[in-house]
């Protein structure tokens, strides 16, 4: 059994990495790819799916059901892994994801597809958490920075390749293969994890905190629905949104109260006593807020204002994603070699503030080269922040809380993305409609009364004056969205300044005998 992977078996620099560790890491990256790639592939296939299954009025639920299930199950998977063992919970999440994928591919109507996407989302909630927690078990924090580039590469590949892969699969094999493609990849990951990964077995005497799970699920569901429906399905001041907001707040307040009394809380509140963990949760929320807003509005600006095709708009994100990948690799190596990391959240936040402000200055005359430079600055900032937040969060808790630390950090980033898309989207839509009414009068209002985001076909049908007005409107809308993002990113900088540089656990490249510090508290 010399070739099996055990917890803490990661080698240091200069020592040949065991083949089994590389196999497990490859399997973990495949699982991470499945979690990130799915929504981006499906987005491209949606027009074809609606054309075959109908149910256009329920289209948004195909994505919403998946997002809700993922967000609600994320903290539960983290806790189950801590209580009953990481390997079993991770394998279970992969199996559920694959079952949901297979069923989604076989759906015969929109109702079935929405239900099966929810099943898929339940599994997806455990994929990212499982990857981060298992890496946390296998590799000491001091060594973990070396693998940041690998994770950043997977993220960049998913963001760029998702729409391209989705379009190719849909055009050549049919939309059902957008789901079936997950099956062979998932089976490979399952086989590698099942055979090679060996972690200590756990068995908690306490039962699952079902009341905590229920309260947290209701609270997260209500928040995600508010951010998804607000300003689109319902007005922000509508009764439905107010009811959901009240339900969400009440559930989360009840959840926090109950966690102080539960025998085995879903999210043990003591992890927030660590200043660094709390600050990383805040920074993770802001990174999610900014990143998903940027990836939503940049392609829209490129298509509507700069005249890029849908395919090219994805490729035009390369400056941002490439910069993110390179910086993440450099940050990981420097962290591993020196054991120091505080500089990266600070510098990353500064770059994020500056980059988003630069993006907010774009107008109808901004060249692709200029916008590419601005995107690269944002990418440099995100590269400094994306993986460091998880690394520091995991370093701030005890090993027994590795799962809930990973899932809580992931949850904050997920909630940040929901808020980012909702708030920046509401600002964008409002600005577009105002500018269209100012520049094109009644025609402008009519053009955007259904949606402030027009596809290429709708844009091509507009009269020249209306098309020009829409380009100015989109430019104005993105100005407001990115300016808001820049202001929000200032909060990330404020949080980063207060990060305390606690030594990372685990030997560095020279295997110095520095004592391992206990997680710091506020």
């Amino acid at each position: 059994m010399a070739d099996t992977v055990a917890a803490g078996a990661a080698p240091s620099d200069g020592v040949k990495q065991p083949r089994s560790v590389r196999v497990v890491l490859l399997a973990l990256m495949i699982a991470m790819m499945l979690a990130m790639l799915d929504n981006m592939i499906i987005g491209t296939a949606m027009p074809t799916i609606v054309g075959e299954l109908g149910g256009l009025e329920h289209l948004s639920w195909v994505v919403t059901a998946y997002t809700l299930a993922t967000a609600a199950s994320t903290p539960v998977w983290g806790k189950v892994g801590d209580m009953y063992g990481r390997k079993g919970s991770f394998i279970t999440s992969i199996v559920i994801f694959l079952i949901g994928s297979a069923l989604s591919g076989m759906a015969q109507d929109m109702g079935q597809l929405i239900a099966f996407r929810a099943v898929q989302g339940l599994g997806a909630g455990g994929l990212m958490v499982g990857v981060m927690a298992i890496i946390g078990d296998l590799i000491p924090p001091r060594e973990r920075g070396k693998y940041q580039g690998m994770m950043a590469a997977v993220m960049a590949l998913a963001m760029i390749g998702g729409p391209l892969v989705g379009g190719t699969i849909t055009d050549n094999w049919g939309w059902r293969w957008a789901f079936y493609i997950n099956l062979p990849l998932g089976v490979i990951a399952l086989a590698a994890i099942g055979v090679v990964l060996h972690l200590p077995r756990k068995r908690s005497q306490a039962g699952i905190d079902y009341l905590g799970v229920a309260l947290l699920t209701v609270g997260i569901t209500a928040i995600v629905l508010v951010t998804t429906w607000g300003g689109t399905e319902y007005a922000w001041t509508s009764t439905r949104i107010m009811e959901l907001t009240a339900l969400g707040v009440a559930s989360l307040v009840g959840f926090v109260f109950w966690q102080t009394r539960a025998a085995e809380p879903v999210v043990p509140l003591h992890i927030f006593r660590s200043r660094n963990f709390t600050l990383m949760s805040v920074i993770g929320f802001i990174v999610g807020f900014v990143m998903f807003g940027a990836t939503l509005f940049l392609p829209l600006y490129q298509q509507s204002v700069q005249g890029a095709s849908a395919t090219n708009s994805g490729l035009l994100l390369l400056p941002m994603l490439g910069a993110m990948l390179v910086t993440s690799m450099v940050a990981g190596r420097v962290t591993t070699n020196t054991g120091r990391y505080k500089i990266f959240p600070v510098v990353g936040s500064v770059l994020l503030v500056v980059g988003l402000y630069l993006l907010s200055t774009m107008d109808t005359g901004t060249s692709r080269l200029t916008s590419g430079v601005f995107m690269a600055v944002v990418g440099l900032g995100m590269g400094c922040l994306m993986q460091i937040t998880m690394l520091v969060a995991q370093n701030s808790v005890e090993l027994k809380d590795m799962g809930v630390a990973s899932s809580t950090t992931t949850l904050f980033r997920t909630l940040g993305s929901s808020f980012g898309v909702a708030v920046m989207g509401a600002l964008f839509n409002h600005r577009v409609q105002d500018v269209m009414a100012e520049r094109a009068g009644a025609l402008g209002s009519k053009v955007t009364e259904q949606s402030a985001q027009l596809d290429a076909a709708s844009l091509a049908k507009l009269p020249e004056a209306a098309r020009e007005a829409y380009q100015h409107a989109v430019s104005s809308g993105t100005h407001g969205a990115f300016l808001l993002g820049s202001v929000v990113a200032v909060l990330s900088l404020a949080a980063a300044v207060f990060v305390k540089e606690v030594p990372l656990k685990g030997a560095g490249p020279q295997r110095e005998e520095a004592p391992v510090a206990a997680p710091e508290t506020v």
Side-chain angles (χ1 to χ4, degrees), residues 18 45 48 93 152 207 209 366 395 397 438 505 516 520:
T48 306
S93 70
D209 177 18
T366 303
N395 189 61
V397 301
E438 291 171 8
K505 303 165 190 172
V516 175
E520 98 298 344

Side-chain angles (χ1 to χ4, degrees), residues 281-294:
S281 297
V282 172
I283 293 174
F285 180 92
I286 294 167
V287 168
F289 188 105
V290 168
M291 184 179 72
F292 284 91

Side-chain angles (χ1 to χ4, degrees), residues 38-389:
D38 194 75
N39 262 342
M40 296 186 176
I41 288 181
I42 302 310
T44 312
M46 283 312 301
T48 306
I49 294 174
V50 171
E52 181 174 327
L53 298 183
L56 179 62
E57 67 276 13
H58 303 304
L59 175 64
S60 63
W61 273 103
V62 176
V63 175
T64 301
Y66 180 90
T67 304
L68 279 175
T70 301
S73 63
T74 292
V76 179
W77 283 115
K79 186 61 179 180
V80 169
D82 284 342
M83 292 175 65
Y84 302 110
R86 211 87 66 206
K87 179 178 177 179
S89 65
F90 187 55
I91 287 177
T92 302
S93 70
I94 295 176
V95 170
I96 293 174
F97 180 83
L98 295 182
I99 290 173
S101 297
L103 291 174
S104 296
M106 294 185 286
Q108 299 302 307
D109 57 50
M110 191 61 78
Q112 289 183 10
L113 180 60
I114 291 169
F116 297 150
R117 284 282 284 166
V119 174
Q120 197 182 19
L122 287 175
L127 293 183
M128 189 69 77
V129 172
V131 169
M132 297 301 180
I134 289 173
I135 289 177
D137 275 349
L138 293 178
I139 303 169
R142 181 66 184 270
E143 304 293 328
R144 214 171 294 156
K146 293 186 294 186
Y147 304 98
Q148 285 183 201
M150 186 186 301
M151 290 183 277
V154 170
M155 291 181 180
L157 185 61
M159 289 178 183
I160 297 172
L164 298 176
V165 172
T168 302
I169 289 175
T170 303
D171 290 341
N172 293 282
W173 298 347
W175 67 266
R176 295 182 186 278
W177 278 97
F179 296 103
Y180 292 150
I181 195 68
N182 294 329
L183 302 181
L185 293 174
V187 168
I188 292 172
L190 274 177
I193 294 293
V195 173
V196 182
L197 178 64
H198 294 271
L199 294 173
R201 294 180 180 273
K202 299 178 183 179
R203 181 65 190 179
S204 173
Q205 297 301 313
I208 295 175
D209 177 18
Y210 291 106
L211 178 57
V213 170
L215 289 170
L216 184 59
T217 299
V218 171
I220 292 174
T221 300
I223 288 174
V224 173
L225 286 177
V226 166
T227 57
T228 303
W229 284 347
T232 54
E233 298 287 329
Y234 303 96
W236 285 104
T237 55
S238 67
T239 303
R240 178 61 56 86
I241 295 298
M242 292 295 103
E243 289 173 346
L244 283 171
T245 301
L247 177 63
V249 171
S251 299
L252 292 179
V253 169
F255 171 76
V256 171
F257 176 78
W258 175 248
Q259 293 307 279
T260 62
R261 287 157 174 74
E264 194 66 54
V266 180
V267 179
L269 299 184
H270 67 258
I271 61 176
F272 290 100
R273 294 175 190 159
S274 162
R275 179 205 300 178
N276 278 3
F277 181 84
T278 302
L279 292 173
M280 288 304 113
S281 297
V282 172
I283 293 174
F285 180 92
I286 294 167
V287 168
F289 188 105
V290 168
M291 184 179 72
F292 284 91
T295 54
L296 174 65
F297 294 110
L298 278 171
L300 181 63
Y301 171 84
Q302 290 163 337
Q303 291 177 51
S304 301
V305 180
Q306 295 183 327
S309 67
T311 301
N312 286 341
S313 67
L315 295 176
L316 288 172
L317 291 176
L318 274 173
M320 181 175 74
L321 300 174
M324 182 179 79
L325 171 59
V326 171
T327 313
S328 187
M329 293 176 67
V330 171
R333 282 290 172 180
V334 171
T335 300
T336 295
N337 291 336
T338 67
R340 299 190 174 277
Y341 52 82
K342 179 173 179 175
I343 185 67
F344 295 110
V346 174
V347 172
S349 297
V350 170
L351 289 169
L352 211 54
V353 172
V354 172
L356 288 165
Y357 175 76
L358 291 174
L359 287 178
S360 76
T361 65
M362 296 189 304
D363 55 28
T364 54
T366 303
S367 68
R368 291 185 182 181
L369 175 61
T370 301
S371 61
V373 172
F374 294 168
M375 283 188 280
V377 176
V378 173
L380 292 173
M382 289 198 295
C384 290
L385 294 170
M386 286 291 291
Q387 303 305 327
I388 287 290
T389 52

Side-chain angles (χ1 to χ4, degrees), residues 490-516:
V490 172
L491 299 176
S492 175
L493 177 58
V497 168
F498 290 99
V499 170
K500 182 180 179 182
E501 195 156 52
V502 178
L504 293 174
K505 303 165 190 172
Q510 307 305 318
R511 290 193 178 279
E512 57 267 34
E513 298 299 325
V516 175

